[in-house]
Every structure is written in structure tokens, then in C-alpha cells.
Amino acid sequence: MNDLMSVGMHRLWKDKFVRELKPFAGMQHLDVAGGTGDVAFRVLDQITQLEDEQQEQVGSNVTPAGTVVVCDINPDMLAEGRKKAHAAKLDPQGLDFVEGNAESLPFPACSYDAYTIAFGIRNVTDINAALRDAHRVLKIGGRFLCLEFSHVTMPGLKQVYDAYSFNVIPELGRAVANDKASYEYLVESIRKFPEQEAFASMIREAGFSNVHYENLQGGIVAIHSGFKLK
């Protein structure tokens, strides 16, 4: 369904998102609201490649192995992620799935080098609480990165995008998933999500520094970034 809705663009957005993250060998990474593993598997793949290259260069491991933790409030999504990980033969030592609420994560403070959340934060009941807890679980110097549907800024595109969103997406939901109502809610949730500058301000208020965002496809989606510096 994601492929149909985004004409396959969601895969390219996630690829760019992980490139922006810049995973590194030994990275301790947390992916929130990512139960199916789309982002987490990309991050783990990058970490593993870098660690393999490092081992080839020096003949032994010089950093502790990196890990990726997928945290999601929905156990069914986590189960789907585990099945996908098993089918892809991903290293179980480097990947874990944990049920938890983004507003109150079940992890100690200062645990992770990076925190990602892709297409999930707009569904959190208390976004400010989720941002504060993201800040709590990150190490000093750690990075928060969010990929989310946003508000179109390109002249002329908004009218086209609105027509597609309100008329086509719900009908795709009805035809493919027999669930028009859920996709109507999806469109409404995107429209109610804060605009780019407003969301950037929320990230700053949660304690993050060097906050910025990048619009993709004229603002259909945006990548928001911030760092925990204290």
C-alpha cells in the first residue's frame, strides 16, 4: 500500500533518511515506531558494512559491534518485523525488537548514539513528551532524526497534492485494503501535523540544538534533525 500511495517514493525517502543519519561502526541506534524494520534494517546494513570494512583493514575488530533496537507500541508490527528479519537472515546479535511507548521509552538515559522515527511521530498522542524522551535516551552528542509527511511549500503543487490526498488515497485504501476510513484518517492526520517551522520549534523546546529540516518533494515530506549537546 505504501508503494501505491507514494508511487514508490517512500523507499527513496527512507534511503535518503539513512544517508543523512550517517551510521558508523559500533553505533548504538534506536528506531522508534518502526516495527516492520524498514529503517532499522537499512541502518543495520550500513553499520555491518562499515564494521566489515574496518575489520578487513586492521585484521580484527577495533570497536564493539553496533546494535539497532526497534521499539514500537504495536506488538503485531514488531512480530512482522521479526519475521522480515528472519527471512532476510539478519544478525540477531545486532538487532532487537522491544515493545514500548514513544512517550515513555523503556530504556535508560544516555543509551543511544542516534534516534530515528519515520512516519510515526504524527500518530503519537503527546508529541512533546515523545520528543523529550528522545532527548533523554540519547547520549551527549547523539542525534535525533525524524522523517514525516509535512506541508507542501512548492507553488502549484499544493492543489495537486490535496486533490490526490483527499480523492485518490482513500479510494486506494478502499480498493486495496478494503479500508477507506483508515486512509481518510491518514490524510487528516497529515494535515493536522505541525508545519515545518512549528515542529522545528517543538524539537528545540525538547532540548535539542542545531535543529534544522530539509523538505523533500516540495514539502510532501520533511527530514527534521537535532542534536543533544547537553
Side-chain angles (χ1 to χ4, degrees), residues 20 31 166:
E20 176 66 22
D31 184 49
F166 287 103

Side-chain angles (χ1 to χ4, degrees), residues 30-87:
L30 175 63
D31 184 49
V32 175
T36 58
D38 281 359
V39 170
F41 298 167
R42 286 170 166 84
V43 175
L44 182 62
D45 182 61
Q46 289 291 305
I47 293 172
T48 302
Q49 285 186 36
L50 290 167
E51 289 176 347
D52 288 346
E53 290 172 6
Q54 185 183 73
Q55 186 173 9
E56 287 179 6
Q57 289 171 3
V58 301
S60 63
N61 294 328
V62 297
T63 58
T67 60
V68 175
V69 175
V70 182
C71 183
D72 200 295
I73 199 169
N74 188 329
D76 293 334
M77 296 291 280
L78 291 169
E80 181 64 24
R82 289 189 185 97
K83 285 199 301 184
K84 287 174 62 178
H86 180 74

Side-chain angles (χ1 to χ4, degrees), residues 9-20 42 147:
M9 290 301 297
H10 78 101
R11 299 175 185 273
L12 299 178
W13 295 333
K14 289 169 183 173
D15 287 343
K16 179 173 176 55
F17 186 55
V18 173
R19 288 197 302 271
E20 176 66 22
R42 286 170 166 84
L147 175 66

Side-chain angles (χ1 to χ4, degrees), residues 27-221:
M27 186 179 193
Q28 305 301 306
H29 181 69
L30 175 63
D31 184 49
V32 175
T36 58
D38 281 359
V39 170
F41 298 167
R42 286 170 166 84
V43 175
L44 182 62
D45 182 61
Q46 289 291 305
I47 293 172
T48 302
Q49 285 186 36
L50 290 167
E51 289 176 347
D52 288 346
E53 290 172 6
Q54 185 183 73
Q55 186 173 9
E56 287 179 6
Q57 289 171 3
V58 301
S60 63
N61 294 328
V62 297
T63 58
T67 60
V68 175
V69 175
V70 182
C71 183
D72 200 295
I73 199 169
N74 188 329
D76 293 334
M77 296 291 280
L78 291 169
E80 181 64 24
R82 289 189 185 97
K83 285 199 301 184
K84 287 174 62 178
H86 180 74
K89 299 181 180 179
L90 297 178
D91 181 6
Q93 298 299 316
L95 182 65
D96 196 13
F97 293 86
V98 177
E99 186 175 341
N101 188 330
E103 298 170 25
S104 182
L105 295 164
F107 309 111
C110 303
S111 295
Y112 295 100
D113 296 301
Y115 170 120
T116 51
I117 183 166
F119 303 119
I121 203 161
R122 76 178 184 282
N123 296 318
V124 174
T125 302
D126 188 339
I127 293 174
N128 288 311
L131 292 172
R132 289 192 298 269
D133 220 42
H135 188 273
R136 180 187 66 82
V137 300
L138 282 169
K139 300 175 184 177
I140 299 296
R143 189 178 191 186
F144 168 84
L145 210 60
C146 173
L147 175 66
E148 188 53 86
F149 287 109
S150 198
H151 295 265
V152 172
T153 58
M154 182 181 293
L157 179 59
K158 185 177 188 305
Q159 292 79 6
V160 175
Y161 181 57
D162 282 348
Y164 176 75
S165 298
F166 287 103
N167 298 312
V168 178
I169 289 177
E171 289 305 318
L172 282 174
R174 180 188 60 77
V176 176
N178 195 28
D179 187 2
K180 181 178 180 179
S182 291
Y183 289 88
E184 288 175 332
Y185 164 78
L186 169 66
V187 173
E188 290 297 334
S189 73
I190 293 169
R191 293 301 179 273
K192 291 177 180 177
F193 190 72
E195 292 186 356
Q196 288 90 320
E197 285 292 343
F199 187 51
S201 293
M202 293 168 68
I203 296 170
R204 290 187 191 95
E205 289 168 7
F208 289 98
S209 302
N210 298 345
V211 174
H212 68 274
Y213 64 87
E214 179 184 358
N215 288 323
L216 307 181
Q217 269 64 56
I220 291 175
V221 298

